[in-house]
Amino acid sequence: MKVEVKNARKNGYYLEITRESAKRLLHSKYAPRQEAKKWADKYCRDLKGKNLALIGGGLGYLPEILEERGFDCLVFEPLPEFNSPPDTPLSKLKKQNKIIFPAGEDDIESYLDKFSGEYLQELQVLVHPSYGDLIPEEVDRLRNQVVLIGRKIHRDRRTRKKFYWLWFDNLIQNLPLLDGGHRLNELRNLYSKEAAVIVGAGPSLGESLDWLKKYADRFLLICVDSALATLQSAGVKADFVLTTDPQSTNNLYLEGVEPEGRLIAAWTAQPAYFRWADDQPIYPINIAHGTIHKKQMFPPGGWIREYVEGLDDLQSGGSVTSTALDLAQYLAVQTIALVGVDHAFTKNRIVSPGNCWERRQLNRLNRFKSLAGSHLNSFLGSGRYSSKSLLKATCLGDYTYWTTDEYVNQNQWFEEAGKLLPARCLDMRAGGLKMRYWERVDNPENFWKEIAPIKPVAEKLPEKRPVRINREELIEKCRQLSDYIEAESDQLIYKFSTASGKRPERLEKFYDPFREYAGLDGSTSDELAKEFFRKLPKRLRNLAAQLS
């Protein structure tokens, strides 16, 4: 593709795009600024907020008009980067760092990560009118990337703020239990010629249990914690059980469930899982977010892990099933299949049969009345499920079921993964939202009976290299920092809650964790700083005591 800047007949410039010998014009060759005003008149009426992400800016006429009308406009340019005359609005956008020519998702993520959570929440995505016909595929892909990455950054920030101190408290209890655990890299590339099935706790899981049990020797079974009870009730054994949730309600998934397989647990997950695993192998992991940068989901973990040898990262993606997908990728399997990852209330149920939530309710209700159905009906009228918005969507088999905006985002994340992963990606689900880029397998039994059995995990593992914690140094560091923070709390609150003043070198590592806690806004209040430096030394002392 060739991009050339040419003089318009009146003031300004236009772009001539040559692609596959065909030439197209971007902007009017007569009066480009007047054309941009007409576009702005048309589109501004439908815009609700003031924060805009414009897909395609050309020479900057439309962004300039939008800025003049009070909008804050960021431009994501799908065209290859080109030089522009210094008197164009585009040159001004470049100086203000309001335009990006992204080479991939990592560029978009790095750029959006600079903005506050409130800004991203209100960000609206608008496509430049001339670009839809000019390069439709590039525009559609870039638009989806901006939407998904923006939502994910905002969601991850809310998650960090919500669970910040709970993660810390869990880590204090878990860290001594990690010492001597297995390193995840023991498993890397052991199954590069094999297949893995990721099992979620969606309502359709019950319809896949027969073939999962019959052909369990043909694949690795990666089970999320909430699906384990359903599998065990049908006699299906998991090779790996994955848990990441820090909340105590997650412990309900362990009721009546026997330890099995290898537990892969976030080091900030519920401590009950580490105790539940008993003699089963435990692989502790750190949960990161971001497709490229792998930022810490729990920011203080960044310096604590300097004293932990052998802890590996898996990415969050927003749910435990997306972490399971990253695990399958980490294992370098040749084929990845999905089961029970519905992202919808398939058959008007919330969970898979036999799930702890259903078992508890069935003790009090008529055993033939589904908790899922009765519970679902109770909140459908409100249009919300917890903090999520409810909507209807077309699922497999062209059935229409309820889902949530968050499930739709998750489904899009899996679609993008299916397009990018080197493994063969198979959709073996018995229900759920339609999922592009995953090869549909309507009859899993016919597929697996042609696959040869694989060796059990225990027969392929190399010699164990345990996770090791440098306890003495970490204990001393925690004590030093807690004493220092308490002695200098007033000065620290001032330096961390204002942009002025040089931060103490010994606490430099805490600045990013503090910004994450405060919501990544440009400045933070004294109240947040007081809360942060009141709670932090207490946790540091508790961690030192737990390791002693």
Side-chain angles (χ1 to χ4, degrees):
M1 185 186 301
K2 183 180 179 182
V3 182
E4 295 180 274
V5 181
K6 298 198 171 184
N7 290 311
R9 295 191 181 180
K10 294 185 180 180
N11 291 336
Y13 306 86
Y14 67 94
L15 292 178
E16 184 177 86
I17 315 294
T18 305
R19 187 180 192 186
E20 297 177 353
S21 302
K23 292 186 177 182
R24 299 282 298 274
L25 301 185
L26 189 62
H27 308 305
S28 166
K29 63 193 298 187
Y30 298 97
R33 185 173 169 80
Q34 289 300 113
E35 178 189 50
K37 284 183 178 179
K38 293 179 181 178
W39 284 334
D41 290 340
K42 180 178 179 181
Y43 287 102
C44 284
R45 293 193 298 267
D46 299 325
L47 297 175
K48 297 177 182 178
K50 292 295 183 181
N51 301 335
L52 298 180
L54 183 63
I55 308 300
L59 289 167
Y61 295 110
L62 182 55
E64 182 182 52
I65 299 296
L66 292 171
E67 291 271 348
E68 289 174 358
R69 298 188 181 187
F71 293 95
D72 191 5
C73 194
L74 308 176
V75 178
F76 296 82
E77 182 56 68
L79 291 174
E81 190 162 1
F82 55 89
N83 294 320
S84 60
D87 57 339
T88 61
L90 176 59
S91 298
K92 182 179 178 182
L93 288 170
K94 289 180 177 178
K95 290 178 183 178
Q96 296 174 332
N97 197 27
K98 286 200 165 187
I99 184 169
I100 176 176
F101 292 81
E105 290 188 2
D106 53 330
D107 289 344
I108 300 171
E109 191 173 320
S110 297
Y111 186 70
L112 288 177
D113 205 26
K114 301 172 185 176
F115 296 92
S116 71
E118 183 179 351
Y119 186 95
L120 292 177
Q121 188 176 15
E122 297 176 356
L123 191 64
Q124 300 173 86
V125 180
L126 180 68
V127 176
H128 192 293
S130 293
Y131 279 72
D133 295 331
L134 183 67
I135 43 174
E137 292 182 3
E138 291 89 337
V139 165
D140 187 53
R141 181 174 63 251
L142 183 55
R143 181 189 180 282
N144 289 339
Q145 287 174 338
V146 170
V147 169
L148 291 175
I149 292 172
R151 287 175 180 172
K152 184 178 181 302
I153 290 173
H154 177 56
R155 183 175 66 244
D156 285 343
R157 288 177 184 172
R158 284 188 305 172
T159 301
R160 288 198 295 277
K161 186 70 177 289
K162 178 180 179 181
F163 295 131
Y164 201 94
W165 298 114
L166 179 56
W167 280 331
F168 217 136
D169 291 338
N170 287 350
L171 181 60
I172 290 169
Q173 295 184 60
N174 292 338
L175 203 55
L177 304 175
L178 307 187
D179 207 1
H182 288 257
R183 300 187 184 195
L184 191 65
N185 63 17
E186 291 178 7
L187 307 174
R188 188 183 283 279
N189 297 321
L190 279 183
Y191 291 90
S192 57
K193 296 182 180 180
E194 321 292 1
V197 174
I198 295 172
V199 178
S204 71
L205 174 58
E207 299 178 37
S208 303
L209 295 173
D210 287 344
W211 68 259
L212 283 172
K213 183 177 182 179
K214 185 176 181 180
Y215 296 103
D217 61 344
R218 313 295 169 97
F219 48 76
L220 290 172
L221 197 154
I222 302 173
C223 167
V224 303
D225 47 13
S226 51
L228 186 56
T230 302
L231 292 183
Q232 286 195 358
S233 67
V236 181
K237 294 190 176 297
D239 294 301
F240 299 102
V241 179
L242 188 64
T243 185
T244 60
D245 198 317
Q247 300 173 93
S248 59
T249 51
N250 221 48
N251 297 342
L252 294 173
Y253 297 135
L254 299 178
E255 288 185 355
V257 174
E258 295 297 321
E260 70 173 54
R262 283 162 167 73
L263 176 67
I264 298 180
W267 64 337
T268 53
Q270 257 297 305
Y273 278 82
F274 289 88
R275 296 190 289 268
W276 166 81
D278 197 20
D279 294 330
Q280 300 297 112
I282 299 175
Y283 295 79
I285 57 170
N286 174 60
I287 296 297
H289 82 97
T291 52
I292 303 296
H293 302 290
K294 297 271 187 183
K295 290 184 62 177
Q296 301 287 327
M297 276 299 283
F298 173 55
W303 70 267
I304 295 175
R305 70 181 299 179
E306 292 178 13
Y307 302 90
V308 181
E309 181 186 347
L311 188 72
D312 274 353
D313 289 338
L314 289 178
Q315 76 161 332
S316 71
S319 73
V320 66
T321 49
S322 52
T323 303
L325 182 60
D326 199 42
L327 172 62
Q329 184 180 2
Y330 185 96
L331 297 175
V333 296
Q334 198 169 55
T335 302
I336 301 173
L338 296 183
V339 174
V341 186
D342 293 10
H343 297 143
F345 302 130
T346 313
K347 301 188 184 303
N348 283 344
R349 297 175 63 92
I350 302 173
V351 293
S352 57
N355 186 285
C356 67
W357 301 107
E358 183 160 288
R359 292 201 317 274
R360 282 185 151 226
Q361 191 76 1
L362 286 175
N363 290 333
R364 299 190 294 271
L365 293 178
N366 180 314
R367 67 174 56 250
F368 300 107
K369 185 176 182 181
S370 165
L371 155 77
S374 59
H375 190 192
L376 190 66
N377 291 333
S378 69
F379 60 70
L380 285 181
S382 68
R384 299 195 67 78
Y385 174 53
S386 185
S387 62
K388 308 169 185 68
S389 298
L390 283 169
L391 59 148
K392 283 192 172 182
T394 303
C395 295
L396 294 170
D398 292 326
Y399 296 106
T400 301
Y401 290 115
W402 288 98
T403 183
T404 68
D405 53 349
E406 191 168 297
Y407 278 153
V408 171
N409 291 342
Q410 277 292 303
N411 205 67
Q412 291 173 340
W413 190 91
F414 269 82
E415 286 181 332
E416 286 298 312
K419 183 168 58 174
L420 298 173
L421 288 178
R424 184 184 182 189
C425 295
L426 304 178
D427 179 2
M428 296 189 177
R429 301 171 302 153
L433 292 182
K434 290 183 176 180
M435 196 177 288
R436 296 177 301 166
Y437 311 120
W438 286 74
E439 183 183 340
R440 181 71 189 143
V441 179
D442 290 314
N443 193 329
E445 286 206 40
N446 286 345
F447 178 88
W448 291 114
K449 69 182 181 183
E450 302 298 329
I451 304 296
I454 63 175
K455 286 185 178 180
V457 175
E459 294 182 15
K460 298 191 71 167
L461 287 178
E463 183 179 346
K464 178 182 177 182
R465 292 179 61 230
V467 173
R468 289 299 182 206
I469 299 173
N470 190 333
R471 291 185 178 230
E472 291 184 3
E473 287 190 19
L474 182 53
I475 290 169
E476 183 62 24
K477 186 69 172 179
C478 288
R479 288 172 176 166
Q480 288 178 359
L481 285 173
S482 60
D483 290 345
Y484 174 75
I485 291 168
E486 289 182 332
E488 303 288 339
S489 60
D490 291 343
Q491 282 297 312
L492 292 173
I493 289 167
Y494 170 74
K495 289 177 180 178
F496 275 76
S497 62
T498 63
S500 61
K502 188 177 186 301
R503 295 183 297 275
E505 185 175 339
R506 70 169 68 189
L507 283 182
E508 186 66 30
K509 290 179 181 177
F510 277 100
Y511 185 62
D512 281 341
F514 176 61
R515 288 180 67 242
E516 299 282 3
Y517 178 67
L520 281 98
D521 291 315
S523 61
T524 55
S525 69
D526 283 355
E527 288 303 314
L528 277 173
K530 287 177 182 177
E531 180 186 27
F532 186 76
F533 287 110
R534 185 182 73 248
K535 292 182 176 180
L536 183 59
K538 179 181 178 182
R539 262 74 179 185
L540 292 172
R541 284 196 303 272
N542 289 346
L543 180 56
Q546 191 77 3
L547 290 169
S548 298

